[in-house]
Amino acid sequence: MRLSNLADYAVVLMSAAARQCGSVPIHAGMLAEQTGIPAPTAQKLVSGLARAGLLVASRGSGGGVRLARPAAAISVADIIEAVEGPIALTSCVAEGRHDCSLEGNCKVQPHWGVVNGAVRGALQEISLATLSVAPAKAGAAGDSTPATPSKPTTAPAFAGATS
């Protein structure tokens, strides 16, 4: 499974909007600048995310967009579905779709709903608040993982290598 570029950009854009803490409206152009998303694409995403109820737009001199609800209450699944529609890994889990040539004989079809639900559930568990903060760096205080991998002291031995 792979997200479309538009869905990926929507998550990036919403993360940038969340870093504004939702208090100050921000223009699509500023979001484009902050994220590197082309301005027309950012504007298209802002419009779509506002239609989906994830952003609130206001016009005028102090206008712009802000999150419609707290970042902790917006999930990655919400953002993806706002751009791509319902998450459906296969056509047989999409409501109303019956265009699979294997339908009727497929022994896996009854299980796709469980798989699809697990993927959607995992995406639902990741909040925008989580994505809007920098992850802890390896090697930080309290982290036993080294910041850089140790270098081997001897060269690796390869089959057929001569000394």
Side-chain angles (χ1 to χ4, degrees):
M1 182 179 110
R2 184 178 176 137
L3 290 180
S4 70
N5 284 345
L6 207 56
D8 181 18
Y9 290 169
V11 173
V12 170
L13 186 131
M14 288 290 289
S15 178
R19 285 191 294 277
Q20 302 299 318
C21 300
S23 57
V24 179
I26 186 169
H27 295 278
M30 288 180 73
L31 288 169
E33 242 178 73
Q34 289 178 8
T35 61
I37 295 170
T41 303
Q43 185 58 54
K44 176 180 177 178
L45 286 170
V46 163
S47 296
L49 293 165
R51 271 192 312 277
L54 298 178
L55 293 175
V56 175
S58 55
R59 297 189 185 275
S61 61
V65 295
R66 61 181 172 72
L67 299 180
R69 54 188 191 259
I74 298 173
S75 73
V76 173
D78 295 333
I79 300 166
I80 292 169
E81 289 180 333
V83 174
E84 294 193 348
I87 294 169
L89 297 179
T90 64
S91 63
C92 58
V93 295
E95 226 172 280
R97 299 273 311 265
H98 299 287
D99 56 357
C100 179
S101 63
L102 301 177
E103 191 171 14
N105 296 322
C106 181
K107 303 297 183 209
V108 177
Q109 189 274 335
H111 304 284
W112 273 118
V114 173
V115 175
N116 196 77
V119 171
R120 190 188 184 289
L123 294 170
Q124 187 67 36
E125 291 296 315
I126 303 168
S127 74
L128 182 57
T130 302
L131 298 181
S132 62
V133 296
K137 296 201 185 243
D143 185 359
S144 61
T145 308
T148 56
S150 61
K151 294 182 182 177
T153 54
T154 60
F158 295 102
T162 57
S163 304

